[in-house]
Amino acid sequence: QQDLIDTERFDGWKRPFVETGDVETSYASHGDKIEKKVLVKRGEIPHINQIAHIRLKPGQVATANSHRDMSEVFMLTKGKGGFTLDSEKRGVKEGSVVRAMPVHSHEVTNTGKEDLEMIVVAVAHDCPDESHANTQRYSKKS
């Protein structure tokens, strides 16, 4: 199984532990001054375009956007807000998870009085249908 992935091609294997506080803050392209810390960059782990920690201040909006060739998973870790997926609007809060598939428009608004924070995982759609994970099977002993 080890030969399925050439670990030397992926920089992520060179830094397996990342402290969010050590990552430089940049700004998301989908809104004004939305803080973003890129925890995993494209090319570091196969099929992952990006994993980022995003912070929206009260009233901020990550404006509507969509992607042709990737999905995004939004995991809210703090705060509350509104999430629009295509034309469907829903309230979201800490613990909410939203999955945005390709070509579906998505927008996030912080409607709360505190920062809204989330982890966003962007996954490429060139991933194989089958996993070749090297796992062990466990069974409950009776």
Side-chain angles (χ1 to χ4, degrees):
Q1 298 292 341
Q2 190 67 8
D3 61 335
L4 292 176
I5 295 178
D6 177 9
T7 57
E8 294 301 314
R9 291 185 330 148
F10 300 104
D11 289 340
W13 307 124
K14 296 173 186 163
R15 57 180 198 115
F17 300 99
V18 177
E19 298 295 331
T20 306
D22 295 339
V23 177
E24 182 179 338
T25 299
S26 59
Y27 296 97
S29 60
H30 309 312
D32 186 36
K33 295 287 186 182
I34 295 173
E35 294 179 17
K36 174 180 181 178
K37 291 186 176 214
V38 178
L39 308 174
V40 175
K41 299 174 185 174
R42 177 179 290 156
E44 289 187 326
I45 296 177
H47 310 296
I48 300 292
N49 281 350
Q50 187 175 93
I51 299 177
H53 176 264
I54 306 288
R55 174 180 289 129
L56 282 77
K57 301 286 183 196
Q60 278 190 310
V61 178
T63 55
N65 65 92
S66 64
H67 309 280
R68 183 177 55 80
D69 58 352
M70 71 175 187
S71 294
E72 288 182 296
V73 178
F74 301 82
M75 297 171 281
L76 277 74
T77 59
K78 180 181 175 187
K80 65 179 183 175
F83 201 102
T84 303
L85 188 59
D86 290 330
S87 60
E88 183 178 352
K89 295 181 182 184
R90 290 226 180 152
V92 290
K93 62 184 188 307
E94 182 178 329
S96 295
V97 175
V98 179
R99 298 177 286 190
M101 298 301 283
V103 306
H104 291 274
S105 175
H106 48 278
E107 179 174 280
V108 185
T109 304
N110 182 347
T111 60
K113 295 182 182 186
E114 64 177 356
D115 290 352
L116 183 152
E117 296 184 23
M118 59 188 161
I119 300 294
V120 180
V121 179
V123 182
H125 276 260
D126 60 352
C127 191
D129 291 338
E130 173 180 319
S131 173
H132 296 283
N134 184 13
T135 60
Q136 293 185 16
R137 299 187 189 279
Y138 296 94
S139 60
K140 187 175 181 180
K141 292 183 180 182
S142 43

